[in-house]
Each structure stands twice: as C-alpha cells, then as structure tokens.
Amino acid sequence: MAAPQQNSIFLLLLSISILLCFVHCHIIDGHDDINLVELELDQKAMKQKLSHFRLYWHDIVGGSSPSSIPILKPATKTGFGFGAVSMIDNPLTLRPELSSKVVGKAQGFYAAASQEEIGLLMAMNFFFTYGKYNGSSITILGRNAVLNDVREMPVIGGSGLFRFARGYAQARTHDFDFKSGNATVEYTIYVLHF
C-alpha cells in the first residue's frame, strides 16, 4: 500500500520541479527546444520593495476540523517519523491566538526528511485573504529543523503583488501542545518584490 502513495508523492515533487523549470523557461513555436527568455527591464517601473510580516501559523492536527492531515505514513518505524507527509491548509493570524484576525492560509505540505532529527521539508504558499495583499501569495520552500529555536527558510517566489519575490522566513515555535499535537509557529518574513 505504501508504494503507490510514495509514487504519488514522487510524482507530485517531480511535477513541482518541472513547473519551477517552466517558470524560468519558454518553449518556442511548440518545438522541444527550450530557450531562456531575456527581457529588458525598465528600471524606473521595476522598483523593488521590501515587505516585512509577522504572522502566526496554526497547525491543527486533531479535532473535528483539522488543518493538517497525514497523507503518507512512514514505511518503517523511526524515532523521527522519516517519510511521513502531511498536507496543510493552516490559518495565518495576526496574533498567536487562533481567535485573532485570520489574514490568510498556509497551503502546501511538510514531510519528515531527516533520519537523525525532526527535520521537515516545507513546501507551502502563504496565500493572503485580507488587506492590500488579498489574492497574492508568497512561496516558501526549505528545511525546518523543528527543535531549533529559530529556523530559516527561503522565499522562492510569489504571485500578485509578490511577483518576482525573494527573501527569507524565520520560524519560531510559539506553542506546542504535546497532548493534541497542535502547534502555533511565529513566522517573520522579509520579502523583496516589485
């Protein structure tokens, strides 16, 4: 049973890699030749901005309405859950309390990618649903060593007002409930965009 699920995850990750390649490439006239597109940028029109956010990411793994669900369990028992994958649709709030203003969703997945520690591969979009960034998103893809006080992950792109985005996110665990498995993580994000 695990092999078809692992193949599905592999195909998902392969699809993401191919999509990232096509973001930077252009196929000419339907041929198989791939050429890089070169653009002349109007420096006055393309002024970079630096945006800074502090948001709270709520990973709710239990209860009647979880925001994080396991989609692949490890093939073998390991102390660190190596191979486990969870899909997320986590609320993003302005304050640590889940009852505070929801300004977006963290949508994507995290996977236990380390055999020596709790080290996750994070692949997620922070999709904003409030304020001037409503409908825009930033993409975070990186390593999250959960037990470290501060974890840094790169911002690798974005959409809407965050087109051409690049930067970094720092994660700090604000609260973790050992009984339920629910976590609240503070994300401080610095992102350059046009």
Side-chain angles (χ1 to χ4, degrees), residues 4 18 34-35 48 55 71-72 85 91 102 105 120 144-145 187 189 192:
I18 291 170
I34 296 176
N35 297 317
Q48 281 192 334
L55 302 169
I71 59 172
L72 185 64
V85 180
V102 175
K105 294 287 195 106
L120 303 176
N144 182 355
Y187 273 83
I189 303 166
L192 286 168

Side-chain angles (χ1 to χ4, degrees), residues 1 5 20 46 58 60 66 74 88 90-91 103-104 106 113-114 136 148-149 185:
M1 183 71 175
Q5 289 176 338
L20 289 174
M46 300 289 287
H58 299 272
I60 305 162
I88 62 169
N90 289 348
V103 295
S114 176
S136 298
N148 290 354
D149 288 339
V185 179

Side-chain angles (χ1 to χ4, degrees), residues 57 59 67-69 86-90 106-110 124:
W57 179 94
D59 197 42
S67 65
S68 174
I69 60 167
S86 291
M87 191 63 63
I88 62 169
D89 187 22
N90 289 348
Q107 298 172 326
F109 67 91
Y110 56 81
M124 59 187 169

Side-chain angles (χ1 to χ4, degrees), residues 118-133:
I118 303 173
L120 303 176
L121 163 66
M122 306 293 291
M124 59 187 169
N125 291 311
F126 277 24
F127 177 70
F128 295 94
T129 58
Y130 180 78
K132 81 177 201 178
Y133 299 113

